[in-house]
Amino acid sequence: ETGVTQTPRHLVMGMTNKKSLKCEQHLGHNAMYWYKQSAKKPLELMFVYSLEERVENNSVPSRFSPECPNSSHLFLHLHTLQPEDSALYLCASSQEGWGILDFTSTDTQYFGPGTRLTVL
Amino acid sequence: AQKVTQAQTEISVVEKEDVTLDCVYETRDTTYYLFWYKQPPSGELVFLIRRNSFDEQNEISGRYSWNFQKSTSSFNFTITASQVVDSAVYFCALSEVYSGGGADGLTFGKGTHLIIQP
């Protein structure tokens, strides 16, 4: 299923630049996520949005700023990044329910193709 | 805290061999989900399977099968008669059910790089 798109696919930026990553999901889901995948490290959850409200921020540096204007779109604003921030940034979406017995929840996250970010 | 361990960093086999990818998890919750994802060189994570903690039945889908054992906290993945197109990085992941409702992130293992040689 390729219902999650990300742009741009590749991005090279200097440490003083400001850029934004965009994610769009066409699956009608109500939750969206940003993950970071660095070389030789597990995927790291950065941000979770559920019903357009941020519910989790895993101590991500403030140079990463997420924005979720609606349930279909998610942005990651970048400013004054460091070379160690170079990584593959993956967006995902899922349909979440409200309680263990809520069968509308699938908890399956569907991922986009990622943005390969290089910080010079 | 939850944790997923994939001890096999890289596996290389010859085409048509069977191969098993190991996954061991840790969680304090009794209700959780386990997943396997495939990441081909293109980078996109492809969903393969989701299993909840109440369902220990093994599952088979074509050449793929999964063995879930709560007693050993393992959720292993076997590919039968492997093919070159199976070459990818495979990730095991865990999600604890958030009983208050809403979304929760996945905790991933480090992945196993599977190489199928022709």
Short mmCIF file of all heavy atoms in Angstrom, two decimals, chain A residues 25-92:
data_model
loop_
_atom_site.label_atom_id
_atom_site.label_comp_id
_atom_site.label_asym_id
_atom_site.label_seq_id
_atom_site.Cartn_x
_atom_site.Cartn_y
_atom_site.Cartn_z
N GLN A 25 -0.79 11.77 3.69
CA GLN A 25 -1.36 10.42 3.65
C GLN A 25 -2.74 10.45 3.04
O GLN A 25 -3.54 11.36 3.31
CB GLN A 25 -1.36 9.79 5.06
CG GLN A 25 -2.14 10.52 6.12
CD GLN A 25 -3.54 9.99 6.33
OE1 GLN A 25 -3.97 9.04 5.67
NE2 GLN A 25 -4.28 10.60 7.23
N HIS A 26 -3.00 9.44 2.20
CA HIS A 26 -4.26 9.36 1.45
C HIS A 26 -5.09 8.17 1.93
O HIS A 26 -5.88 7.60 1.16
CB HIS A 26 -3.95 9.21 -0.04
CG HIS A 26 -2.94 10.21 -0.54
ND1 HIS A 26 -3.29 11.46 -0.97
CD2 HIS A 26 -1.59 10.12 -0.66
CE1 HIS A 26 -2.18 12.12 -1.34
NE2 HIS A 26 -1.15 11.34 -1.17
N LEU A 27 -4.88 7.77 3.16
CA LEU A 27 -5.50 6.56 3.68
C LEU A 27 -6.66 6.84 4.64
O LEU A 27 -7.24 5.90 5.19
CB LEU A 27 -4.44 5.71 4.39
CG LEU A 27 -3.25 5.30 3.50
CD1 LEU A 27 -2.14 4.68 4.34
CD2 LEU A 27 -3.72 4.32 2.42
N GLY A 28 -6.94 8.10 4.89
CA GLY A 28 -8.01 8.44 5.83
C GLY A 28 -7.66 8.16 7.27
O GLY A 28 -8.55 8.04 8.12
N HIS A 29 -6.39 8.08 7.58
CA HIS A 29 -5.95 7.78 8.94
C HIS A 29 -6.04 9.01 9.85
O HIS A 29 -6.11 10.15 9.37
CB HIS A 29 -4.51 7.26 8.93
CG HIS A 29 -4.39 5.89 8.35
ND1 HIS A 29 -3.18 5.35 7.96
CD2 HIS A 29 -5.32 4.93 8.11
CE1 HIS A 29 -3.38 4.12 7.51
NE2 HIS A 29 -4.67 3.85 7.58
N ASN A 30 -5.99 8.77 11.16
CA ASN A 30 -6.10 9.88 12.10
C ASN A 30 -4.84 10.11 12.94
O ASN A 30 -4.85 10.90 13.87
CB ASN A 30 -7.31 9.67 13.03
CG ASN A 30 -7.21 8.39 13.82
OD1 ASN A 30 -6.17 7.73 13.85
ND2 ASN A 30 -8.30 8.01 14.48
N ALA A 31 -3.79 9.40 12.65
CA ALA A 31 -2.54 9.59 13.38
C ALA A 31 -1.37 9.58 12.40
O ALA A 31 -1.37 8.85 11.41
CB ALA A 31 -2.34 8.48 14.41
N MET A 32 -0.38 10.42 12.68
CA MET A 32 0.80 10.50 11.83
C MET A 32 2.06 10.58 12.69
O MET A 32 2.01 11.03 13.84
CB MET A 32 0.72 11.71 10.88
CG MET A 32 -0.45 11.60 9.89
SD MET A 32 -0.49 12.91 8.67
CE MET A 32 0.80 12.36 7.54
N TYR A 33 3.18 10.16 12.11
CA TYR A 33 4.42 9.99 12.87
C TYR A 33 5.62 10.45 12.04
O TYR A 33 5.63 10.30 10.81
CB TYR A 33 4.64 8.50 13.20
CG TYR A 33 3.45 7.78 13.78
CD1 TYR A 33 2.39 7.38 12.97
CD2 TYR A 33 3.40 7.48 15.13
CE1 TYR A 33 1.30 6.71 13.50
CE2 TYR A 33 2.31 6.80 15.67
CZ TYR A 33 1.27 6.43 14.85
OH TYR A 33 0.20 5.75 15.38
N TRP A 34 6.64 10.93 12.75
CA TRP A 34 7.96 11.12 12.14
C TRP A 34 8.95 10.18 12.83
O TRP A 34 9.01 10.12 14.06
CB TRP A 34 8.45 12.56 12.33
CG TRP A 34 7.91 13.55 11.36
CD1 TRP A 34 7.12 14.64 11.64
CD2 TRP A 34 8.11 13.59 9.94
NE1 TRP A 34 6.81 15.33 10.50
CE2 TRP A 34 7.41 14.71 9.43
CE3 TRP A 34 8.82 12.79 9.03
CZ2 TRP A 34 7.39 15.05 8.07
CZ3 TRP A 34 8.80 13.13 7.69
CH2 TRP A 34 8.10 14.25 7.22
N TYR A 35 9.75 9.50 12.01
CA TYR A 35 10.83 8.66 12.50
C TYR A 35 12.13 9.10 11.85
O TYR A 35 12.14 9.57 10.72
CB TYR A 35 10.61 7.18 12.11
CG TYR A 35 9.53 6.47 12.87
CD1 TYR A 35 8.21 6.52 12.44
CD2 TYR A 35 9.82 5.72 14.01
CE1 TYR A 35 7.21 5.85 13.13
CE2 TYR A 35 8.83 5.04 14.70
CZ TYR A 35 7.53 5.12 14.25
OH TYR A 35 6.55 4.45 14.93
N LYS A 36 13.23 8.85 12.57
CA LYS A 36 14.56 9.12 12.03
C LYS A 36 15.31 7.80 11.93
O LYS A 36 15.32 7.01 12.88
CB LYS A 36 15.33 10.07 12.95
CG LYS A 36 16.76 10.33 12.53
CD LYS A 36 17.46 11.21 13.55
CE LYS A 36 18.93 11.45 13.15
NZ LYS A 36 19.65 12.26 14.17
N GLN A 37 15.92 7.56 10.77
CA GLN A 37 16.71 6.35 10.59
C GLN A 37 18.13 6.73 10.23
O GLN A 37 18.41 7.18 9.12
CB GLN A 37 16.12 5.45 9.49
CG GLN A 37 16.83 4.11 9.37
CD GLN A 37 16.21 3.21 8.33
OE1 GLN A 37 15.57 3.66 7.39
NE2 GLN A 37 16.38 1.91 8.50
N SER A 38 19.02 6.57 11.21
CA SER A 38 20.45 6.83 10.98
C SER A 38 21.15 5.53 10.68
O SER A 38 20.66 4.45 11.01
CB SER A 38 21.07 7.47 12.22
OG SER A 38 20.37 8.61 12.62
N ALA A 39 22.32 5.64 10.09
CA ALA A 39 23.10 4.45 9.76
C ALA A 39 23.41 3.66 11.03
O ALA A 39 23.80 4.22 12.05
CB ALA A 39 24.39 4.85 9.06
N LYS A 40 23.18 2.36 10.97
CA LYS A 40 23.53 1.44 12.04
C LYS A 40 22.81 1.72 13.36
O LYS A 40 23.29 1.36 14.43
CB LYS A 40 25.04 1.42 12.27
CG LYS A 40 25.82 1.04 11.01
CD LYS A 40 27.27 0.80 11.32
CE LYS A 40 28.08 0.57 10.04
NZ LYS A 40 27.59 -0.53 9.23
N LYS A 41 21.65 2.38 13.30
CA LYS A 41 20.84 2.62 14.49
C LYS A 41 19.42 2.17 14.22
O LYS A 41 18.96 2.21 13.08
CB LYS A 41 20.81 4.12 14.83
CG LYS A 41 22.03 4.65 15.52
CD LYS A 41 21.74 6.10 15.94
CE LYS A 41 22.85 6.68 16.75
NZ LYS A 41 22.54 8.06 17.20
N PRO A 42 18.70 1.81 15.27
CA PRO A 42 17.28 1.47 15.06
C PRO A 42 16.51 2.72 14.66
O PRO A 42 16.95 3.85 14.96
CB PRO A 42 16.81 1.00 16.44
CG PRO A 42 18.03 0.78 17.24
CD PRO A 42 19.09 1.64 16.67
N LEU A 43 15.39 2.53 14.03
CA LEU A 43 14.52 3.67 13.76
C LEU A 43 14.11 4.31 15.07
O LEU A 43 13.73 3.62 16.02
CB LEU A 43 13.25 3.22 13.01
CG LEU A 43 13.38 3.02 11.52
CD1 LEU A 43 13.85 1.61 11.22
CD2 LEU A 43 12.06 3.28 10.84
N GLU A 44 14.17 5.63 15.09
CA GLU A 44 13.84 6.35 16.31
C GLU A 44 12.57 7.17 16.09
O GLU A 44 12.49 7.94 15.14
CB GLU A 44 14.96 7.34 16.67
CG GLU A 44 16.32 6.72 16.87
CD GLU A 44 17.38 7.82 16.96
OE1 GLU A 44 17.32 8.60 17.93
OE2 GLU A 44 18.22 7.89 16.05
N LEU A 45 11.61 6.99 16.97
CA LEU A 45 10.40 7.79 16.90
C LEU A 45 10.71 9.21 17.33
O LEU A 45 11.33 9.44 18.37
CB LEU A 45 9.34 7.19 17.82
CG LEU A 45 8.03 7.94 17.93
CD1 LEU A 45 7.27 7.92 16.61
CD2 LEU A 45 7.18 7.36 19.06
N MET A 46 10.29 10.18 16.52
CA MET A 46 10.51 11.59 16.86
C MET A 46 9.23 12.24 17.38
O MET A 46 9.24 12.86 18.43
CB MET A 46 11.01 12.34 15.62
CG MET A 46 12.32 11.85 15.05
SD MET A 46 12.78 12.74 13.55
CE MET A 46 13.24 14.34 14.23
N PHE A 47 8.18 12.14 16.60
CA PHE A 47 6.94 12.82 16.96
C PHE A 47 5.74 11.95 16.59
O PHE A 47 5.78 11.21 15.63
CB PHE A 47 6.79 14.17 16.22
CG PHE A 47 7.87 15.15 16.48
CD1 PHE A 47 8.88 15.36 15.56
CD2 PHE A 47 7.89 15.87 17.67
CE1 PHE A 47 9.90 16.27 15.81
CE2 PHE A 47 8.91 16.78 17.93
CZ PHE A 47 9.91 16.99 16.99
N VAL A 48 4.68 12.10 17.41
CA VAL A 48 3.42 11.44 17.13
C VAL A 48 2.32 12.48 17.18
O VAL A 48 2.25 13.27 18.14
CB VAL A 48 3.10 10.34 18.17
CG1 VAL A 48 1.75 9.70 17.86
CG2 VAL A 48 4.20 9.30 18.22
N TYR A 49 1.47 12.47 16.18
CA TYR A 49 0.28 13.32 16.18
C TYR A 49 -0.94 12.42 16.06
O TYR A 49 -1.01 11.55 15.20
CB TYR A 49 0.28 14.30 15.00
CG TYR A 49 1.05 15.55 15.25
CD1 TYR A 49 2.43 15.59 15.07
CD2 TYR A 49 0.41 16.71 15.69
CE1 TYR A 49 3.14 16.75 15.31
CE2 TYR A 49 1.12 17.87 15.93
CZ TYR A 49 2.48 17.89 15.73
OH TYR A 49 3.20 19.04 15.97
N SER A 50 -1.90 12.66 16.95
CA SER A 50 -3.15 11.94 16.89
C SER A 50 -4.28 12.95 16.86
O SER A 50 -4.34 13.81 17.74
CB SER A 50 -3.30 11.01 18.10
OG SER A 50 -4.52 10.33 18.05
N LEU A 51 -5.13 12.85 15.87
CA LEU A 51 -6.19 13.85 15.67
C LEU A 51 -5.62 15.26 15.69
O LEU A 51 -6.17 16.17 16.31
CB LEU A 51 -7.29 13.69 16.73
CG LEU A 51 -8.04 12.36 16.70
CD1 LEU A 51 -9.06 12.31 17.83
CD2 LEU A 51 -8.71 12.15 15.36
N GLU A 52 -4.49 15.41 15.03
CA GLU A 52 -3.82 16.70 14.83
C GLU A 52 -3.22 17.29 16.10
O GLU A 52 -2.73 18.42 16.08
CB GLU A 52 -4.78 17.70 14.18
CG GLU A 52 -5.30 17.22 12.84
CD GLU A 52 -6.64 17.84 12.48
OE1 GLU A 52 -6.80 19.05 12.69
OE2 GLU A 52 -7.52 17.10 12.00
N GLU A 53 -3.21 16.54 17.19
CA GLU A 53 -2.57 17.03 18.39
C GLU A 53 -1.33 16.20 18.68
O GLU A 53 -1.37 14.97 18.58
CB GLU A 53 -3.53 16.95 19.59
CG GLU A 53 -4.65 17.95 19.50
CD GLU A 53 -5.44 18.01 20.81
OE1 GLU A 53 -5.00 17.41 21.80
OE2 GLU A 53 -6.49 18.65 20.81
N ARG A 54 -0.27 16.87 19.08
CA ARG A 54 0.96 16.14 19.35
C ARG A 54 0.82 15.39 20.67
O ARG A 54 0.50 15.98 21.71
CB ARG A 54 2.14 17.10 19.41
CG ARG A 54 3.48 16.38 19.46
CD ARG A 54 4.61 17.29 19.05
NE ARG A 54 4.92 18.26 20.07
CZ ARG A 54 5.75 19.30 19.87
NH1 ARG A 54 6.29 19.48 18.70
NH2 ARG A 54 6.00 20.13 20.84
N VAL A 55 1.06 14.10 20.63
CA VAL A 55 0.92 13.30 21.85
C VAL A 55 2.24 12.77 22.36
O VAL A 55 2.34 12.28 23.46
CB VAL A 55 -0.05 12.10 21.63
CG1 VAL A 55 -1.42 12.60 21.30
CG2 VAL A 55 0.46 11.17 20.55
N GLU A 56 3.28 12.86 21.56
CA GLU A 56 4.56 12.35 22.02
C GLU A 56 5.70 13.10 21.34
O GLU A 56 5.65 13.36 20.15
CB GLU A 56 4.68 10.85 21.70
CG GLU A 56 5.90 10.19 22.29
CD GLU A 56 5.80 8.68 22.25
OE1 GLU A 56 4.69 8.14 22.12
OE2 GLU A 56 6.85 8.03 22.35
N ASN A 57 6.69 13.44 22.13
CA ASN A 57 7.89 14.09 21.61
C ASN A 57 9.05 13.47 22.35
O ASN A 57 9.25 13.74 23.52
CB ASN A 57 7.83 15.59 21.83
CG ASN A 57 9.13 16.28 21.48
OD1 ASN A 57 10.10 15.65 21.09
ND2 ASN A 57 9.16 17.58 21.63
N ASN A 58 9.77 12.62 21.70
CA ASN A 58 10.81 11.87 22.38
C ASN A 58 12.09 12.68 22.55
O ASN A 58 13.13 12.30 22.07
CB ASN A 58 11.09 10.56 21.63
CG ASN A 58 10.02 9.54 21.89
OD1 ASN A 58 9.14 9.75 22.71
ND2 ASN A 58 10.06 8.44 21.18
N SER A 59 11.97 13.81 23.23
CA SER A 59 13.15 14.62 23.56
C SER A 59 13.95 14.97 22.31
O SER A 59 15.17 14.83 22.29
CB SER A 59 14.04 13.88 24.55
OG SER A 59 13.32 13.61 25.72
N VAL A 60 13.25 15.37 21.29
CA VAL A 60 13.90 15.76 20.04
C VAL A 60 14.40 17.19 20.16
O VAL A 60 13.70 18.04 20.71
CB VAL A 60 12.90 15.64 18.87
CG1 VAL A 60 13.53 16.09 17.57
CG2 VAL A 60 12.38 14.21 18.76
N PRO A 61 15.59 17.48 19.65
CA PRO A 61 16.11 18.86 19.73
C PRO A 61 15.16 19.85 19.07
O PRO A 61 14.47 19.53 18.10
CB PRO A 61 17.44 18.77 18.98
CG PRO A 61 17.82 17.33 19.04
CD PRO A 61 16.56 16.56 19.04
N SER A 62 15.18 21.07 19.60
CA SER A 62 14.24 22.09 19.13
C SER A 62 14.52 22.55 17.70
O SER A 62 13.69 23.26 17.11
CB SER A 62 14.26 23.30 20.07
OG SER A 62 15.57 23.83 20.12
N ARG A 63 15.64 22.16 17.14
CA ARG A 63 15.91 22.51 15.75
C ARG A 63 15.01 21.71 14.79
O ARG A 63 14.96 22.00 13.59
CB ARG A 63 17.39 22.29 15.40
CG ARG A 63 17.92 20.90 15.64
CD ARG A 63 19.43 20.88 15.40
NE ARG A 63 20.00 19.55 15.52
CZ ARG A 63 20.49 19.09 16.66
NH1 ARG A 63 20.47 19.84 17.76
NH2 ARG A 63 21.00 17.86 16.71
N PHE A 64 14.29 20.74 15.33
CA PHE A 64 13.26 20.03 14.58
C PHE A 64 11.90 20.49 15.10
O PHE A 64 11.62 20.34 16.29
CB PHE A 64 13.37 18.52 14.76
CG PHE A 64 14.62 17.93 14.20
CD1 PHE A 64 15.75 17.78 15.00
CD2 PHE A 64 14.68 17.53 12.88
CE1 PHE A 64 16.91 17.24 14.48
CE2 PHE A 64 15.84 16.98 12.36
CZ PHE A 64 16.96 16.84 13.16
N SER A 65 11.05 21.00 14.22
CA SER A 65 9.77 21.53 14.64
C SER A 65 8.66 20.93 13.79
O SER A 65 8.58 21.20 12.59
CB SER A 65 9.78 23.05 14.51
OG SER A 65 8.50 23.58 14.80
N PRO A 66 7.79 20.10 14.37
CA PRO A 66 6.73 19.49 13.57
C PRO A 66 5.51 20.39 13.48
O PRO A 66 5.29 21.27 14.32
CB PRO A 66 6.41 18.23 14.37
CG PRO A 66 6.63 18.63 15.79
CD PRO A 66 7.77 19.63 15.76
N GLU A 67 4.72 20.10 12.45
CA GLU A 67 3.45 20.82 12.28
C GLU A 67 2.46 19.87 11.63
O GLU A 67 2.78 19.20 10.66
CB GLU A 67 3.64 22.06 11.40
CG GLU A 67 2.34 22.83 11.14
CD GLU A 67 2.50 23.92 10.09
OE1 GLU A 67 3.61 24.07 9.53
OE2 GLU A 67 1.50 24.60 9.81
N CYS A 68 1.25 19.84 12.17
CA CYS A 68 0.21 18.96 11.62
C CYS A 68 -1.05 19.79 11.44
O CYS A 68 -1.88 19.85 12.34
CB CYS A 68 -0.03 17.78 12.55
SG CYS A 68 -1.14 16.53 11.87
N PRO A 69 -1.22 20.44 10.29
CA PRO A 69 -2.36 21.33 10.08
C PRO A 69 -3.70 20.60 9.95
O PRO A 69 -4.75 21.19 10.23
CB PRO A 69 -2.00 22.05 8.78
CG PRO A 69 -1.06 21.12 8.08
CD PRO A 69 -0.30 20.41 9.15
N ASN A 70 -3.65 19.34 9.51
CA ASN A 70 -4.87 18.53 9.41
C ASN A 70 -4.46 17.07 9.42
O ASN A 70 -3.26 16.75 9.39
CB ASN A 70 -5.68 18.89 8.16
CG ASN A 70 -4.86 18.79 6.89
OD1 ASN A 70 -4.38 17.71 6.54
ND2 ASN A 70 -4.66 19.91 6.21
N SER A 71 -5.42 16.19 9.43
CA SER A 71 -5.09 14.77 9.61
C SER A 71 -4.38 14.15 8.41
O SER A 71 -3.88 13.03 8.51
CB SER A 71 -6.36 13.98 9.92
OG SER A 71 -7.29 14.11 8.87
N SER A 72 -4.34 14.86 7.30
CA SER A 72 -3.71 14.30 6.11
C SER A 72 -2.30 14.79 5.87
O SER A 72 -1.58 14.23 5.05
CB SER A 72 -4.55 14.63 4.86
OG SER A 72 -5.83 14.08 4.95
N HIS A 73 -1.91 15.86 6.54
CA HIS A 73 -0.62 16.48 6.26
C HIS A 73 0.23 16.61 7.52
O HIS A 73 -0.28 16.93 8.59
CB HIS A 73 -0.81 17.87 5.66
CG HIS A 73 -1.43 17.85 4.29
ND1 HIS A 73 -2.80 17.83 4.11
CD2 HIS A 73 -0.88 17.81 3.05
CE1 HIS A 73 -3.06 17.81 2.81
NE2 HIS A 73 -1.92 17.79 2.15
N LEU A 74 1.51 16.39 7.33
CA LEU A 74 2.46 16.51 8.43
C LEU A 74 3.73 17.13 7.87
O LEU A 74 4.20 16.73 6.81
CB LEU A 74 2.76 15.13 9.02
CG LEU A 74 3.67 15.06 10.24
CD1 LEU A 74 3.02 15.76 11.43
CD2 LEU A 74 3.99 13.61 10.59
N PHE A 75 4.25 18.10 8.60
CA PHE A 75 5.49 18.76 8.18
C PHE A 75 6.55 18.59 9.26
O PHE A 75 6.24 18.44 10.44
CB PHE A 75 5.25 20.25 7.93
CG PHE A 75 4.33 20.55 6.79
CD1 PHE A 75 2.95 20.65 7.00
CD2 PHE A 75 4.81 20.73 5.51
CE1 PHE A 75 2.08 20.91 5.96
CE2 PHE A 75 3.96 21.00 4.46
CZ PHE A 75 2.59 21.09 4.68
N LEU A 76 7.80 18.65 8.83
CA LEU A 76 8.91 18.72 9.76
C LEU A 76 9.79 19.88 9.33
O LEU A 76 10.43 19.85 8.28
CB LEU A 76 9.71 17.41 9.77
CG LEU A 76 10.79 17.30 10.83
CD1 LEU A 76 10.17 17.35 12.23
CD2 LEU A 76 11.58 16.00 10.67
N HIS A 77 9.75 20.95 10.14
CA HIS A 77 10.52 22.15 9.82
C HIS A 77 11.92 22.01 10.42
O HIS A 77 12.06 21.63 11.59
CB HIS A 77 9.81 23.39 10.36
CG HIS A 77 8.42 23.55 9.85
ND1 HIS A 77 8.11 23.69 8.52
CD2 HIS A 77 7.21 23.56 10.52
CE1 HIS A 77 6.81 23.80 8.36
NE2 HIS A 77 6.23 23.73 9.56
N LEU A 78 12.90 22.33 9.61
CA LEU A 78 14.29 22.13 10.00
C LEU A 78 15.03 23.48 10.01
O LEU A 78 14.89 24.28 9.07
CB LEU A 78 14.99 21.21 8.99
CG LEU A 78 14.21 19.97 8.53
CD1 LEU A 78 14.95 19.29 7.38
CD2 LEU A 78 14.02 19.02 9.69
N HIS A 79 15.79 23.72 11.04
CA HIS A 79 16.62 24.95 11.05
C HIS A 79 17.85 24.75 11.90
O HIS A 79 17.82 24.10 12.93
CB HIS A 79 15.79 26.14 11.55
CG HIS A 79 15.33 26.00 12.97
ND1 HIS A 79 15.98 26.57 14.04
CD2 HIS A 79 14.27 25.35 13.50
CE1 HIS A 79 15.32 26.28 15.15
NE2 HIS A 79 14.28 25.54 14.85
N THR A 80 18.94 25.33 11.42
CA THR A 80 20.27 25.22 12.06
C THR A 80 20.60 23.79 12.45
O THR A 80 20.91 23.49 13.61
CB THR A 80 20.38 26.15 13.28
OG1 THR A 80 19.38 25.81 14.24
CG2 THR A 80 20.25 27.59 12.86
N LEU A 81 20.51 22.89 11.46
CA LEU A 81 20.81 21.49 11.74
C LEU A 81 22.30 21.25 11.83
O LEU A 81 23.12 22.09 11.43
CB LEU A 81 20.21 20.60 10.64
CG LEU A 81 18.69 20.56 10.55
CD1 LEU A 81 18.26 19.44 9.61
CD2 LEU A 81 18.05 20.37 11.90
N GLN A 82 22.64 20.09 12.36
CA GLN A 82 24.02 19.65 12.51
C GLN A 82 24.30 18.50 11.54
O GLN A 82 23.38 17.79 11.14
CB GLN A 82 24.28 19.19 13.95
CG GLN A 82 23.93 20.24 15.00
CD GLN A 82 24.78 21.48 14.86
OE1 GLN A 82 26.00 21.39 14.70
NE2 GLN A 82 24.15 22.64 14.87
N PRO A 83 25.56 18.28 11.19
CA PRO A 83 25.86 17.16 10.29
C PRO A 83 25.35 15.81 10.81
O PRO A 83 24.96 14.96 10.01
CB PRO A 83 27.40 17.18 10.21
CG PRO A 83 27.75 18.62 10.43
CD PRO A 83 26.75 19.13 11.44
N GLU A 84 25.31 15.64 12.11
CA GLU A 84 24.82 14.36 12.66
C GLU A 84 23.32 14.17 12.48
O GLU A 84 22.79 13.09 12.78
CB GLU A 84 25.18 14.23 14.15
CG GLU A 84 24.62 15.31 15.03
CD GLU A 84 25.61 16.43 15.29
OE1 GLU A 84 26.46 16.68 14.41
OE2 GLU A 84 25.52 17.05 16.36
N ASP A 85 22.65 15.20 12.00
CA ASP A 85 21.22 15.07 11.71
C ASP A 85 20.97 14.44 10.33
O ASP A 85 19.83 14.18 9.96
CB ASP A 85 20.53 16.44 11.76
CG ASP A 85 20.58 17.05 13.15
OD1 ASP A 85 20.44 16.30 14.14
OD2 ASP A 85 20.76 18.28 13.25
N SER A 86 22.04 14.24 9.60
CA SER A 86 21.90 13.57 8.29
C SER A 86 21.36 12.17 8.52
O SER A 86 21.91 11.40 9.31
CB SER A 86 23.26 13.50 7.60
OG SER A 86 23.78 14.79 7.35
N ALA A 87 20.28 11.85 7.82
CA ALA A 87 19.60 10.56 8.03
C ALA A 87 18.46 10.44 7.03
O ALA A 87 18.19 11.34 6.24
CB ALA A 87 19.05 10.49 9.45
N LEU A 88 17.80 9.30 7.11
CA LEU A 88 16.55 9.09 6.35
C LEU A 88 15.40 9.41 7.29
O LEU A 88 15.31 8.84 8.38
CB LEU A 88 16.47 7.65 5.86
CG LEU A 88 15.22 7.28 5.05
CD1 LEU A 88 15.19 8.01 3.71
CD2 LEU A 88 15.15 5.77 4.83
N TYR A 89 14.54 10.33 6.91
CA TYR A 89 13.41 10.70 7.73
C TYR A 89 12.15 10.09 7.13
O TYR A 89 11.79 10.36 5.99
CB TYR A 89 13.30 12.23 7.85
CG TYR A 89 14.40 12.78 8.71
CD1 TYR A 89 15.65 13.05 8.16
CD2 TYR A 89 14.21 12.97 10.08
CE1 TYR A 89 16.70 13.50 8.96
CE2 TYR A 89 15.25 13.43 10.87
CZ TYR A 89 16.49 13.68 10.31
OH TYR A 89 17.52 14.12 11.10
N LEU A 90 11.51 9.27 7.95
CA LEU A 90 10.35 8.52 7.49
C LEU A 90 9.08 9.02 8.17
O LEU A 90 9.07 9.26 9.37
CB LEU A 90 10.53 7.03 7.80
CG LEU A 90 11.60 6.32 6.99
CD1 LEU A 90 12.03 5.04 7.69
CD2 LEU A 90 11.08 5.99 5.60
N CYS A 91 8.05 9.14 7.37
CA CYS A 91 6.73 9.51 7.87
C CYS A 91 5.85 8.27 7.83
O CYS A 91 6.01 7.41 6.95
CB CYS A 91 6.15 10.60 6.98
SG CYS A 91 4.44 11.05 7.33
N ALA A 92 4.93 8.17 8.77
CA ALA A 92 4.00 7.04 8.79
C ALA A 92 2.63 7.53 9.23
O ALA A 92 2.51 8.59 9.86
CB ALA A 92 4.50 5.95 9.74
#
